[in-house]
Amino acid sequence: MKGKIGKGNCSFKSKLGLPALLFVVCLFCFLVGFFGSSLFSQDVNGDRPRPRMLHSVSDGSDYDPMPYGEGGDDSISSIPFQVLSWQPRAVYFPKFATAEQCQNIVNTAKPNLKPSTLALRKGETEENTKGIRTSSGVFLSASEDKSGTLDDIEKKIARATMLPRTHGEAFNILRYEIGQRYNSHYDAFNPSEYGPQKSQRVASFLLYLTDVQEGGETMFPFENGSNMDGSYDYQRCIGLKVKPRQGDGLLFYSVFPNGTIDLTSLHGSCPVIEGQKWVATKWIRDQIQQDD
């Protein structure tokens, strides 16, 4: 029995051999040491790879301005924007103007407000178009604003749009009170409806001068080709809507680069339900505008 027991206890050793057994033991110790040291070094020394962060430059100090021409800027600046739609091409500019600038414009325009008028198409009269546009407004050029606010805003609009100041009409400052609206319309003039034009409105920039508690949105009912089957009611407030917020800007283009009117640029102003809506509109044309 003793011989069998002894033979049985030594059977693994005798079959595997001492050198092979030592190799297995050494390999096991090496693997334990290797993975153990890697684990502890990651936890203690903090050598784990970390997520990469995206850094933004806020003041442009990391960039050297390029040489600039006579009419260029000597520093790098940014104007935040968001593309709202490609049909129509509509771009939103948050905090484009300060609250003080907005109030300056309101104060300048308020004493001279008159009922807003329409450019009449063939066969239309003031009587049969009554109710389409019910706001009050006044046209003001930058040179008429002694505070200099409109001059600053006009320069910034030119930067944002890359369209020269000389192509812009005077600002149309508008006030919408409760219930007032502007039914859906085009800013561009179709020659077949309005007759030959000396120049065409290619883009519109709206600067919202006040918050509106409820209503007063700028809306685009034909966004992405919707509601263009001929059954659309122009008084309905549907589609892409932009809520007025003081200091924010909205740019949209009325024509394509080839000069044809973008049918999806149809837009209007929803009725104001609570509060007042003040907006400064800058229409930009394809030809230089002469000062009145």
Side-chain angles (χ1 to χ4, degrees):
M1 290 294 293
K2 289 182 181 179
K4 289 183 178 180
I5 293 174
K7 186 177 179 179
N9 287 341
C10 297
S11 61
F12 175 78
K13 177 179 177 181
S14 62
K15 289 180 180 179
L16 186 62
L18 183 59
L21 180 61
L22 291 174
F23 173 77
V24 170
V25 172
C26 291
L27 178 62
F28 175 77
C29 293
F30 170 78
L31 292 174
V32 170
F34 175 80
F35 286 109
S37 63
S38 299
L39 179 63
F40 284 112
S41 66
Q42 287 181 2
D43 288 341
V44 176
N45 298 328
D47 291 334
R48 289 182 177 179
R50 297 181 179 179
R52 296 181 65 124
M53 302 293 292
L54 293 176
H55 298 281
S56 60
V57 179
S58 58
D59 59 2
S61 58
D62 290 351
Y63 296 97
D64 292 326
M66 296 291 290
Y68 60 97
E70 213 172 290
D73 292 334
D74 60 357
S75 62
I76 295 173
S77 60
S78 63
I79 302 176
F81 70 92
Q82 176 189 0
V83 175
L84 299 183
S85 168
W86 284 104
Q87 291 183 289
R89 289 171 294 157
V91 184
Y92 174 72
F93 295 87
K95 299 181 180 178
F96 191 83
T98 66
E100 181 181 3
Q101 287 176 318
C102 293
Q103 192 57 52
N104 283 344
I105 298 172
V106 169
N107 294 341
T108 302
K110 189 177 291 186
N112 302 302
L113 293 179
K114 295 179 180 179
S116 299
T117 59
L118 289 172
L120 300 177
R121 293 177 287 192
K122 296 175 182 178
E124 289 182 336
T125 65
E126 291 185 9
E127 187 62 30
N128 63 26
T129 57
K130 191 177 293 184
I132 292 178
R133 189 184 193 191
T134 56
S135 61
S136 299
V138 61
F139 280 92
L140 284 175
S141 66
S143 60
E144 295 176 288
D145 177 21
K146 304 307 179 185
S147 71
T149 300
L150 289 180
D151 187 66
D152 291 339
I153 297 299
E154 194 170 75
K155 289 177 182 175
K156 194 169 183 179
I157 290 175
R159 288 195 190 98
T161 62
M162 289 300 294
L163 297 172
R165 295 180 66 183
T166 53
H167 286 238
E169 299 181 31
F171 286 93
N172 189 201
I173 317 299
L174 299 168
R175 181 188 67 189
Y176 293 84
E177 299 184 287
I178 292 176
Q180 293 186 331
R181 66 175 187 272
Y182 194 175
N183 289 353
S184 302
H185 61 282
Y186 290 103
D187 282 351
F189 298 106
N190 189 335
S192 65
E193 297 178 326
Y194 293 93
Q197 302 292 307
K198 292 182 178 179
S199 65
Q200 180 63 283
R201 288 175 176 170
V202 297
S204 302
F205 193 99
L206 279 59
L207 175 63
Y208 299 110
L209 304 175
T210 57
D211 294 328
V212 180
Q213 284 80 0
E214 187 176 357
E217 300 92 345
T218 303
M219 53 88 172
F220 298 87
F222 287 175
E223 182 196 14
N224 294 325
S226 302
N227 307 306
M228 299 181 72
D229 58 0
S231 62
Y232 170 65
D233 179 356
Y234 280 42
Q235 293 190 30
R236 294 177 63 195
C237 189
I238 59 175
L240 172 66
K241 297 181 184 178
V242 181
K243 183 176 177 62
R245 296 195 307 191
Q246 187 183 58
D248 291 357
L250 173 66
L251 167 70
F252 61 92
Y253 294 88
S254 298
V255 301
F256 294 113
N258 64 2
T260 59
I261 296 175
D262 180 359
L263 296 181
T264 64
S265 69
L266 186 82
H267 64 284
S269 179
C270 299
V272 173
I273 298 173
E274 183 181 355
Q276 278 191 354
K277 174 184 177 181
W278 283 82
V279 60
T281 301
K282 170 67 70 173
W283 289 302
I284 307 170
R285 292 184 176 252
D286 60 0
Q287 302 289 331
I288 294 176
Q289 298 301 291
Q290 302 295 328
D291 292 335
D292 295 333

